[in-house]
């Protein structure tokens, strides 16, 4: 059987049963399949009674496969006739599709595209990654939010196989000196996790020396004699020439740089 994702049905497989002898074959019951992830869709005998296959005659048994777990599943098709039996081995690989987006946002956070000088767009490359054992289909990638532009790679829809990634770009181009936010939405056919959303954020900076975050740093509540987590300040040259920074200083109490 072809590789089939867990919970889905494979294309049908047809087995041809032929009497190559010179005497009729008395088939003693319907074909049997094990385990139950394999099923008979149609056969020359769907009832419980017998069936006679004339010399030179043939008929078909049609099967399907619906895996319940990842990995190769062995099975058996058994046809009984004239006090004997024919055992035909079956096998079907069950697969699981897993889709991830890189970079991804931390819990409750955003993918930060950083400080962006007004008039100097910044591009962030993203990938939709197939990290499972089965393929999935990307049907749509959408972007909302002023100041962001989506640039797709190959046309959609597209099927992404195991170990393969689909790449595309998001361009941040803020119109003013302020933060901008957006949402990236990736729609796939992965069972139970079809839609992935990625919050985006960038900060527009004016010409000259841009500082981000422009609205200051909130260290939150810090107990006495406890050192807070570090917070970074980004300096960006939004001019066309070189900027010389002669120094930096902290003002306030209990601050260390």
């Amino acid at each position: 059987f072809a590789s089939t994702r867990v919970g889905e049905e494979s294309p049908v497989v047809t087995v041809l049963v032929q009497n190559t002898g010179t005497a009729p074959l008395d088939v003693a019951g319907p074909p049997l399949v094990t385990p139950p992830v394999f099923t008979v869709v149609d056969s020359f005998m769907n009832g419980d009674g017998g069936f006679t296959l004339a010399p030179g005659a043939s008929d078909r048994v049609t099967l399907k496969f619906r895996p319940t777990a990842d990995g190769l599943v062995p099975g058996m098709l058994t046809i009984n006739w004239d006090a004997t039996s024919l055992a035909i081995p079956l096998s079907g690989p069950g697969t699981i599709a897993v889709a991830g987006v890189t970079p991804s946002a931390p819990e409750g956070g955003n993918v930060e595209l950083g400080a962006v000088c007004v008039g100097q767009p910044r591009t962030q490359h993203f990938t939709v990654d197939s990290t499972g054992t089965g393929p999935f289909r990307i049907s749509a990638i959408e972007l909302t939010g002023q100041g962001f532009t989506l640039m797709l790679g190959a046309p959609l829809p597209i099927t992404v196989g195991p170990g393969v990634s689909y790449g595309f770009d998001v361009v941040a181009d803020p119109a003013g000196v302020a933060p901008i936010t957006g949402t990236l939405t990736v729609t796939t056919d992965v069972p139970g996790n079809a839609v992935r959303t990625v919050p985006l954020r960038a900060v527009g900076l004016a010409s000259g020396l841009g500082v981000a975050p422009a609205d200051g740093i909130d260290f939150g509540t810090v107990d006495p004699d406890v050192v807070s987590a570090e917070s970074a300040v980004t300096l960006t040259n939004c001019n066309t020439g070189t900027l010389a920074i002669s120094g930096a200083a902290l003002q306030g109490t209990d601050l260390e740089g």
Side-chain angles (χ1 to χ4, degrees):
F1 288 83
S3 294
T4 305
R5 298 194 311 192
V6 169
E8 298 181 355
E9 290 185 352
S10 71
V12 296
V13 171
T14 300
V15 177
L16 180 67
V17 180
Q18 185 175 22
N19 181 359
T20 59
T22 58
L25 286 179
D26 293 324
V27 183
L32 304 175
V33 288
T34 56
V37 292
F38 300 99
T39 56
V40 176
V41 179
D42 191 24
S43 75
F44 47 78
M45 183 174 51
N46 292 317
D48 294 329
F51 177 84
T52 299
L53 197 61
S58 62
D59 218 318
R60 302 174 185 273
V61 178
T62 304
L63 308 169
K64 66 182 179 180
F65 169 56
R66 187 182 180 92
T68 58
D70 191 22
L72 187 65
V73 182
M76 193 69 67
L77 166 66
T78 304
I79 301 173
N80 298 304
W81 79 91
D82 292 342
T84 187
S85 63
L86 172 66
I88 303 171
L90 307 174
S91 66
T95 64
I96 295 176
V98 180
V101 180
T102 304
S104 59
E107 184 71 27
N110 308 285
V111 170
E112 295 286 347
L113 275 69
V116 182
C117 303
V118 173
Q120 301 177 34
R122 173 172 294 176
T123 300
Q124 173 67 57
H125 187 66
F126 285 83
T127 57
V128 183
D129 309 310
S130 177
T131 58
T133 57
F136 60 82
R137 188 170 186 263
I138 304 174
S139 57
I141 298 177
E142 299 169 300
L143 178 62
T144 59
Q146 293 292 325
F148 293 102
T149 303
L150 178 63
M151 301 178 66
L152 292 178
L156 299 178
I158 191 170
T159 298
V160 183
V164 179
S165 295
Y166 172 84
F168 62 96
D169 293 325
V170 171
V171 180
D173 189 12
V177 183
I180 58 172
T181 58
T183 301
L184 182 66
T185 303
V186 179
T187 303
T188 71
D189 66 347
V190 174
N193 194 18
V195 179
R196 305 294 298 268
T197 59
V198 181
L200 307 174
R201 185 178 182 274
V203 179
L205 300 179
S207 60
L209 180 63
V211 180
D215 52 356
I217 299 174
D218 184 2
F219 289 94
T221 301
V222 181
D223 293 332
D225 300 322
V226 174
V227 179
S228 71
E230 295 180 354
S231 292
V233 176
T234 301
L235 305 180
T236 303
N237 180 4
C238 290
N239 282 339
T240 57
T242 302
L243 276 177
I245 300 174
S246 59
L250 286 171
Q251 293 182 335
T253 58
D254 300 325
L255 295 176
E256 296 180 1

